[in-house]
Amino acid sequence: MTELLSVENMVVGFEGASRPTIGGISFTLRAGQRLGLIGESGSGKSVTALALMGLLPDTAHLSGSVRLAGRELVGLGDAKMARIRGREMSMVFQEPMTALDPTMRVGRQVAEVVRLHCARTGSGHTRERVCRMLEEVGLPDAERIADSYPFQLSGGQRQRVMVAMALINRPELIICDEPTTALDVTVQARVLDVLDRGLREVGAACLFISHDLAVVSQICDDVIVMYRGQIVEAGPVAVLLDHARHPYTRGLVATARLDEVAPGARLRVIEDFWDASQERR
């Protein structure tokens, strides 16, 4: 498969901070590949996603190289990045209630993605396309959903709307930032199934950010592990989760395997495997 996304020595710093939040990371993503990005809260996962999408605040400074299909994104102005977002790359955010405009009907919000990036089409055709996409992400009563406001939908329904917005223009890359964290386990499984089918249908690559190793192993082919803004380990999901080399990765895996802890025994923590004070890499 051809290389779709290339990140080389990407550094993200913020005004007033004593050290960069992202300290020179490099990785690649092939067309159609699904790459997981895991680590504790504060490890830099979401900042990485925002940097790739060109959504960092004005207080941030980005350097290094980010190339999408050979095109350098670092240094592009807001107008040029806006034309890329939603068409060539899109993002599913963690909390759809804040990502969706509460004052705008759902169908209109999905339609805006189409109108901004596609050739001029009639409102009737756009409406039909939106409803078809809503049905494809598991919302069968698409007409009612399209006419609803976000607060009238459940958390699972809102997240499927976000998936529909990300998929509707068939982008080459979709970034998912903890897309199921706010959902209960049953709804989470359904949303992941929708996302899995949608990625296959449009042929998009995916950078899937999560702290849930079970979810990553379900959706991703490969995984990279972040600790304090650095990549400490990378490899195929099955190999890395079962045969992790880095102590921090072994700690992450062990803390997720609660079934291996004897009843009444102390739960394992990352520090059992990884002494952060020594900054071993």
Side-chain angles (χ1 to χ4, degrees), residues 18 35 52 63 113 115 130 139-140 144 162 167 176-177 195 202-203 223 230 236 247:
S18 59
L35 179 64
L52 298 179
S63 63
V113 181
R115 296 190 183 107
V130 167
L139 295 168
R144 180 185 65 82
M162 291 296 299
L167 292 171
C176 299
D177 185 11
L195 178 63
V202 304
V223 62
Q230 298 282 349

Side-chain angles (χ1 to χ4, degrees), residues 221-276:
D221 309 309
D222 302 279
V223 62
I224 54 181
V225 183
M226 287 193 75
Y227 170 71
R228 295 193 68 182
Q230 298 282 349
I231 294 175
V232 296
E233 191 164 2
V237 170
V239 174
L240 189 139
L241 296 185
D242 290 335
H243 306 285
R245 297 186 304 274
H246 196 280
Y248 178 73
T249 309
R250 291 202 297 269
L252 281 176
V253 173
T255 56
R257 291 178 172 168
L258 300 180
D259 58 320
E260 297 179 0
V261 180
R266 169 182 167 275
L267 294 176
R268 288 172 288 190
V269 295
I270 291 177
E271 286 72 16
D272 293 338
F273 300 82
W274 166 244
D275 182 2

Side-chain angles (χ1 to χ4, degrees), residues 26-96:
S26 300
F27 65 90
T28 59
L29 183 61
R30 302 183 305 275
Q33 182 188 8
R34 300 181 187 184
L35 179 64
L37 178 58
I38 65 174
E40 296 173 281
S41 296
S43 61
K45 305 185 303 297
S46 292
V47 172
T48 296
L50 295 175
L52 298 179
M53 291 292 294
L55 294 173
L56 290 170
D58 293 338
T59 56
H61 174 72
L62 171 65
S63 63
S65 174
V66 176
R67 301 182 69 85
L68 179 67
R71 183 180 185 181
E72 181 61 61
L73 302 185
V74 175
L76 281 185
D78 290 340
K80 291 182 178 178
M81 278 301 302
R83 287 195 290 269
I84 294 172
R85 288 193 299 262
R87 183 179 61 185
E88 298 175 42
M89 60 193 300
S90 59
M91 186 166 176
V92 180
F93 293 89
Q94 178 176 345
E95 178 44 68

